[in-house]
Amino acid sequence: MTDPNLREIIIDILDEILEQDGYLHLVLNQALDKYQYLSKQQRAFISRVSRGCVEQLIQIDAVLGQFVKKPKVSKMKPAIRCILRSSVYQILYMGGVPDSAVCNEAVKLAKKKGYGGLGGFVNGVLRNISRNKEGISFSTLSEQYSMPQWIIDLWENQYGEDKTKEMLSALLEKKKTAIRVNTSKISVEELRTQLEDQGIKVEKCPEISYGLYIGDYDYLKAIPQFVQGLFYVQDFSSMMVAHVAEIKKDDYIMDVCAAPGGKSLHAAELLQGSGMVEARDVSDYKVSLMQENIDKSGMKNIRAVKWDATVLDEASVEKADVVICDAPCSGLGVISGKPDIKYHMSREKQLELAKLQRNILSTVWRYVKPEGTLLYSTCTVCQEENQKNVEWFLKEYRSFELVEMRQLFPVDGTQDGFFYAKMKRGK
């Protein structure tokens, strides 16, 4: 089988994400599945350039804006725009790739995409950037950290300039893969040994005994233990939800916005075969994702159910010992893992999500038994979705009291931005 042109694959990936509003993790995973026969190094090159272009898009476009007066980046042919963006990323961020090779391959791609007449333009722009890259500078935090200005303004208003810069820097760090060991099937040490025997790098998670970080692997589906359901990919901060919920034997747990089911499965494991977890979400697709993960886990004390969290289920009122409400959110705490989130989100959408979260909370609290627990969480660092929503809830529903509230911030690729609040219902 003839190997395809790796850079052409990257251009096709970027076109689908940046020109057609595709989602990075879905488009990239589909491409990597399609080209499983490529070597680990080739697949890593595709992944790094594709992700890197999305992650550094604002900065890359700022660089192009400094060297190309006409046409503006937004007015370029989509294929040429993708070729230039991917090439600039390689020139600025990948020292092991010769600039001359990047320029030559870009010209070839322009011709292959039907724009041979623009080959000289592409070549001139990239060689000019290559010759002058040491003198490139950025005038704004938005360009420096490749973050939309509205997000920077919001964070500076809520957390100050220093904390904002700390978060911006952390979100550009390479994200480590955090996993939760399925201790119902294998011990932490046994899994660690099996992974290390495959050449996979394994590190302990400081706060969660059954959490690990893994690296130096090709792709997850090539790891037998992942396929067998011996571990799940789940960030440490996300693990904290079930970890702090004080789940007891025989508890009935409801996870009302559960897909793809990581927190629900975690809760089921903590029940050690007893009780029941009802994992709910709004669509058939999301329920199918949960069911797939449930089937892989082999656990019997968990079921997937289709239900809209904004609609009251009278049959479930005061039925649950613990309700987990990991509400739909802006996702701005997980940008390091899903960098395209920052382009899909807006301030208006974020405020609408904060309203939706209140709507959900005003419904699902009724499922909590007297003396039961409501665990509210999001994967963002925006106060309207987090602290302010909890403050509102406690004023509206005075039968609940706050037990614990914690805002986690992004940290050096090891921790996502995440929020949780544990609230107890009175008798």
Side-chain angles (χ1 to χ4, degrees):
M1 182 178 292
T2 303
D3 281 351
N5 185 310
L6 302 185
R7 289 179 171 85
E8 186 174 8
I9 294 172
I10 291 166
I11 297 307
D12 291 341
I13 290 171
L14 292 178
D15 179 77
E16 196 167 343
I17 296 166
L18 302 179
E19 306 296 339
Q20 302 177 49
D21 290 327
Y23 287 90
L24 173 63
H25 68 289
L26 296 176
V27 176
L28 183 56
N29 286 343
Q30 287 169 0
L32 294 178
D33 283 345
K34 180 179 178 180
Y35 297 105
Q36 285 185 26
Y37 60 86
L38 294 175
S39 70
K40 179 180 178 180
Q41 291 74 18
Q42 290 173 316
R43 292 160 54 80
F45 179 78
I46 292 171
S47 182
R48 180 176 174 187
V49 178
S50 299
R51 290 183 60 86
C53 282
V54 175
E55 184 176 70
Q56 296 287 3
L57 182 64
I58 293 175
Q59 188 173 105
I60 289 169
D61 283 358
V63 171
L64 286 170
Q66 292 176 33
F67 288 89
V68 184
K69 299 308 176 185
K70 289 186 178 180
K72 291 183 178 180
V73 177
S74 61
K75 300 297 184 181
M76 293 177 181
K77 302 288 186 184
I80 296 299
R81 187 160 50 225
C82 288
I83 289 169
L84 287 175
R85 284 168 166 170
S86 66
S87 300
V88 169
Y89 180 82
Q90 292 168 66
I91 290 170
L92 296 184
Y93 303 100
M94 299 181 70
V97 181
D99 291 357
S100 58
V102 175
C103 296
N104 292 337
E105 291 299 319
V107 173
K108 290 179 184 177
L109 273 176
K111 292 178 180 177
K112 192 167 186 179
K113 292 294 183 180
Y115 297 103
L118 293 175
F121 167 75
V122 169
N123 185 60
V125 170
L126 295 177
R127 291 193 184 278
N128 196 14
I129 292 173
S130 175
R131 287 193 297 267
N132 296 283
K133 60 184 174 182
E134 300 302 326
I136 293 172
S137 61
F138 304 102
S139 58
T140 66
L141 287 180
S142 177
E143 293 177 354
Q144 184 180 347
Y145 292 101
S146 234
M147 185 68 72
Q149 188 62 49
W150 76 268
I151 296 176
I152 295 173
D153 292 342
L154 176 65
W155 289 352
E156 285 186 335
N157 180 57
Q158 294 185 347
Y159 298 109
E161 185 177 349
D162 290 344
K163 189 65 179 180
T164 297
K165 286 183 178 178
E166 184 182 308
M167 285 194 283
L168 292 171
S169 179
L171 288 171
L172 287 176
E173 293 287 334
K174 184 179 179 182
K175 184 80 166 62
K176 291 186 177 181
T177 302
I179 65 171
R180 176 174 53 78
V181 182
N182 183 352
T183 53
S184 67
K185 286 189 170 184
I186 192 170
S187 70
V188 174
E189 285 308 313
E190 187 178 355
L191 177 64
R192 179 172 188 158
T193 300
Q194 290 184 13
L195 295 177
E196 288 178 336
D197 286 346
Q198 299 170 61
I200 296 172
K201 183 180 179 181
V202 183
E203 302 173 57
K204 288 184 176 181
C205 175
E207 288 199 53
I208 303 282
S209 61
Y210 43 83
L212 299 170
Y213 295 107
I214 61 172
D216 296 340
Y217 62 92
D218 187 358
Y219 62 104
L220 285 167
K221 290 182 180 178
I223 304 174
Q225 290 78 9
F226 175 73
V227 177
Q228 296 162 12
L230 301 185
F231 70 85
Y232 310 96
V233 175
Q234 186 177 8
D235 190 79
F236 141 74
S237 52
S238 176
M239 294 183 214
M240 291 297 291
V241 171
H243 188 72
V244 303
E246 295 184 291
I247 292 170
K248 305 181 298 298
K249 187 177 180 181
D250 296 321
D251 273 354
Y252 186 87
I253 316 292
M254 286 183 64
D255 189 347
V256 295
C257 303
K263 298 177 186 67
S264 301
L265 287 164
H266 188 186
E269 285 179 29
L270 293 174
L271 286 171
Q272 298 180 331
S274 70
M276 176 56 64
V277 176
E278 187 166 293
R280 296 182 169 192
D281 222 307
V282 70
S283 68
D284 290 327
Y285 172 70
K286 290 186 174 183
V287 171
S288 70
L289 286 179
M290 294 190 294
Q291 191 60 55
E292 182 181 341
N293 286 323
I294 290 170
D295 292 343
K296 189 161 57 174
S297 76
M299 287 186 283
K300 304 301 181 184
N301 61 338
I302 178 171
R303 57 174 174 254
V305 175
K306 181 181 174 182
W307 194 272
D308 184 341
T310 65
V311 177
L312 180 65
D313 176 12
E314 293 284 358
S316 295
V317 171
E318 296 189 358
K319 186 177 180 180
D321 297 283
V322 177
V323 169
I324 296 172
C325 180
D326 186 53
C329 73
S330 60
L332 300 184
V334 296
I335 289 173
S336 59
K338 297 179 179 179
D340 51 331
I341 284 175
K342 57 189 175 185
Y343 310 122
H344 289 294
M345 189 51 55
S346 67
R347 178 61 168 160
E348 292 73 24
K349 288 180 182 177
Q350 188 251 326
L351 291 174
E352 283 301 314
L353 283 165
K355 292 179 183 177
L356 174 62
Q357 291 153 3
R358 292 190 180 192
N359 191 5
I360 291 171
L361 283 170
S362 67
T363 302
V364 304
W365 71 267
R366 295 188 61 184
Y367 305 146
V368 183
K369 288 179 179 178
E371 300 187 82
T373 297
L374 173 62
L375 208 304
Y376 173 69
S377 64
T378 73
C379 55
T380 192
V381 294
C382 300
Q383 292 180 0
E384 292 91 349
E385 301 175 72
N386 297 342
Q387 295 92 336
K388 290 182 181 179
N389 268 351
V390 172
E391 291 170 6
W392 164 84
F393 179 81
L394 293 172
K395 286 181 181 178
E396 290 289 320
Y397 304 101
R398 296 182 181 276
S399 60
F400 285 83
E401 65 175 16
L402 182 65
V403 177
E404 180 183 357
M405 182 164 65
R406 186 177 180 187
Q407 176 68 70
L408 296 161
F409 294 98
V411 176
D412 298 335
T414 61
Q415 176 179 297
D416 285 335
F418 198 86
F419 173 85
Y420 67 82
K422 179 180 175 182
M423 294 170 280
K424 202 82 171 178
R425 188 176 183 181
K427 296 181 179 180

